[in-house]
Amino acid sequence: TLDPRLGSSSAVEERVLRLTSEGARSFEFESNDGGGVRCGWRELWDQLRQLEGGAPLADEAWFQNHYRWIAWKLACQHRSLQHIVGSRGFSAEAVLKQLRHRYDRELVRTELPVLRRICEGDETPATHMVLCIAAADAASSSLELTDGWYSVWAKCDAPLTKQLVRGRLRVGLKLRLCGSSRIGDASDHGRPWQLEHSAAAPRLQLNANGTRRAQWHCKLGRCRTNAFRVGVDSLQEGGGQAPVLEVRVVRVFGPLVFLPREEGGNAWLTLPHFEDLQRREEEAQRARHEHADLKRDSRADGRKGAKDDGGEDDGDDDDEGDPQRAVDLSAARLTWKLLLLDAGGGVAG
């Protein structure tokens, strides 16, 4: 067991109020009797190895990582729910108890958390999960996200970057994610406590359309459902794919022919209009061929006359150009337009 003088958080109240996820790495608990006894991750690491069964499957890096996240979690609970967790909720003894629990679950029973599975390549980063913002770096548009066990830095897209700059993405906020993607080499896998973690080298790409705020009491980690529903009116340009849309088809327009144009102003044509355009283009193409044949015959007659007169053909091709400009119909494709009614009440085209 721990030193009985360790435990209560009353002596470290001010430090708890200022404790961040980064500061939790080196946080040390203090005694309440003024004896100056301190207990950090090194002391608890020795305590864990002295318990029954020891910790032969763990190393210091694994232990220090979990010490950080448990200490930060308990500090947050102590700040917000002290009337529920009590004075013993944030203590070295509570941290050691949860460390032992995590050792049994993760290393003995191999019940792996979602971010470890993603880092090791056993889970797709597009999975539906709830993560908490542990740190934010507006300069690099990156967030450090944690599932309570491990963390990973993620890059925000343009719409999320605007939210980050405005202060709407803050530390402690829980996010519901679906459809995120991996950044960098897909073969760069490994145990999360052995990989490089920094805002300058994010590993996940977040998409605004697949990111929503989660309620404060939502459980962190992988969710049971494969995705979550979003409203049509909440979709943002440049925000990536939406997880799930629930809509009703109110009206169908089509079949239509979509004709992209390089100069802009893409055209949507009905089939009769497109067939008429094809017919006129065929007639124009025949006219261009006849015009080209006529010019070729005229040049041939001119060269023959110049040769008979002893002159020289200067080869000057006085091409006046085609009287009709060609229209590229090869990129045309058949499509339909739908008028959709969002299940939430919005209408979108």
Side-chain angles (χ1 to χ4, degrees), residues 36-248:
V37 178
R38 289 178 175 269
C39 182
W41 73 268
R42 292 180 178 84
E43 289 75 17
L44 289 183
W45 170 238
D46 294 335
Q47 294 261 356
L48 179 64
R49 290 184 295 175
Q50 293 172 8
L51 295 178
E52 182 180 358
L57 301 178
D59 55 24
E60 287 190 0
W62 177 91
F63 186 89
Q64 188 177 13
N65 168 79
H66 285 290
Y67 176 87
R68 172 196 181 189
W69 295 115
I70 292 175
W72 186 57
K73 178 188 70 173
L74 294 181
C76 294
Q77 291 178 349
H78 180 75
R79 289 194 293 257
S80 304
L81 305 171
Q82 186 176 10
H83 61 288
I84 298 177
V85 299
S87 61
R88 300 288 296 182
F90 184 67
S91 63
E93 185 175 11
V95 173
L96 181 61
K97 181 179 179 180
Q98 294 200 22
L99 282 166
R100 182 64 191 185
H101 174 70
R102 292 193 178 195
Y103 176 86
D104 292 337
R105 285 193 59 185
E106 182 180 354
L107 300 184
V108 177
R109 301 200 299 266
T110 63
E111 299 176 4
L112 306 183
V114 63
L115 285 186
R116 176 171 176 178
R117 292 178 59 85
I118 290 175
C119 290
E120 294 181 352
D122 297 327
E123 184 88 44
T124 171
T127 189
H128 180 198
M129 55 187 169
V130 175
L131 302 178
C132 179
I133 300 178
D137 186 354
S140 61
S141 301
S142 299
L143 299 173
E144 186 181 17
L145 304 176
T146 178
D147 60 358
W149 294 59
Y150 297 100
S151 69
V152 64
W153 280 92
K155 185 76 172 179
C156 297
D157 62 3
L160 287 178
T161 299
K162 294 180 181 179
Q163 301 294 326
L164 177 60
V165 172
R166 294 173 182 173
R168 296 182 179 179
L169 296 178
R170 61 185 184 276
V171 174
L173 186 68
K174 291 183 178 181
L175 299 179
R176 185 176 300 277
L177 307 175
C178 187
S180 303
S181 57
R182 187 185 304 275
I183 297 178
D185 189 0
S187 62
D188 185 17
H189 299 151
R191 295 181 175 180
W193 64 89
Q194 297 174 343
L195 298 175
E196 177 186 1
H197 292 279
S198 67
R203 293 186 173 273
L204 294 184
Q205 175 65 56
L206 302 184
N207 303 316
N209 291 335
T211 303
R212 294 293 183 272
R213 292 188 180 187
Q215 294 178 310
W216 68 271
H217 55 78
C218 286
K219 185 178 180 180
L220 296 178
R222 195 183 193 282
C223 300
R224 294 183 178 180
T225 57
N226 293 330
F228 59 90
R229 175 188 170 277
V230 297
V232 174
D233 57 350
S234 69
L235 300 181
Q236 303 182 57
E237 183 179 0
Q241 295 182 348
V244 172
L245 291 174
E246 185 178 352
V247 297
R248 292 181 181 179

Side-chain angles (χ1 to χ4, degrees), residues 176-332:
R176 185 176 300 277
L177 307 175
C178 187
S180 303
S181 57
R182 187 185 304 275
I183 297 178
D185 189 0
S187 62
D188 185 17
H189 299 151
R191 295 181 175 180
W193 64 89
Q194 297 174 343
L195 298 175
E196 177 186 1
H197 292 279
S198 67
R203 293 186 173 273
L204 294 184
Q205 175 65 56
L206 302 184
N207 303 316
N209 291 335
T211 303
R212 294 293 183 272
R213 292 188 180 187
Q215 294 178 310
W216 68 271
H217 55 78
C218 286
K219 185 178 180 180
L220 296 178
R222 195 183 193 282
C223 300
R224 294 183 178 180
T225 57
N226 293 330
F228 59 90
R229 175 188 170 277
V230 297
V232 174
D233 57 350
S234 69
L235 300 181
Q236 303 182 57
E237 183 179 0
Q241 295 182 348
V244 172
L245 291 174
E246 185 178 352
V247 297
R248 292 181 181 179
V249 180
V250 178
R251 190 171 181 180
V252 179
F253 301 90
L256 300 173
V257 177
F258 176 70
L259 183 61
R261 295 173 178 172
E262 294 182 357
E263 64 275 11
N266 299 331
W268 296 84
L269 307 175
T270 62
L271 285 180
H273 289 167
F274 181 70
E275 292 171 355
D276 182 63
L277 180 62
Q278 282 182 313
R279 179 183 56 79
R280 287 188 279 111
E281 176 60 21
E282 291 174 357
E283 294 176 354
Q285 187 174 6
R286 284 196 298 268
R288 287 192 295 270
H289 289 167
E290 293 174 357
H291 181 69
D293 293 341
L294 182 61
K295 288 195 298 182
R296 185 169 55 253
D297 294 342
S298 177
R299 287 196 299 269
D301 293 341
R303 294 192 188 97
K304 182 178 180 181
K307 184 176 181 181
D308 293 341
D309 295 340
E312 295 182 358
D313 184 10
D314 58 3
D316 185 15
D317 187 6
D318 186 17
D319 190 359
E320 298 178 355
D322 292 339
Q324 295 179 333
R325 183 170 57 89
V327 179
D328 184 15
L329 302 179
S330 61

Side-chain angles (χ1 to χ4, degrees), residues 329-343:
L329 302 179
S330 61
R333 61 178 183 268
L334 193 65
T335 185
W336 282 260
K337 274 189 173 183
L338 304 178
L339 180 63
L340 305 177
L341 175 64
D342 189 2

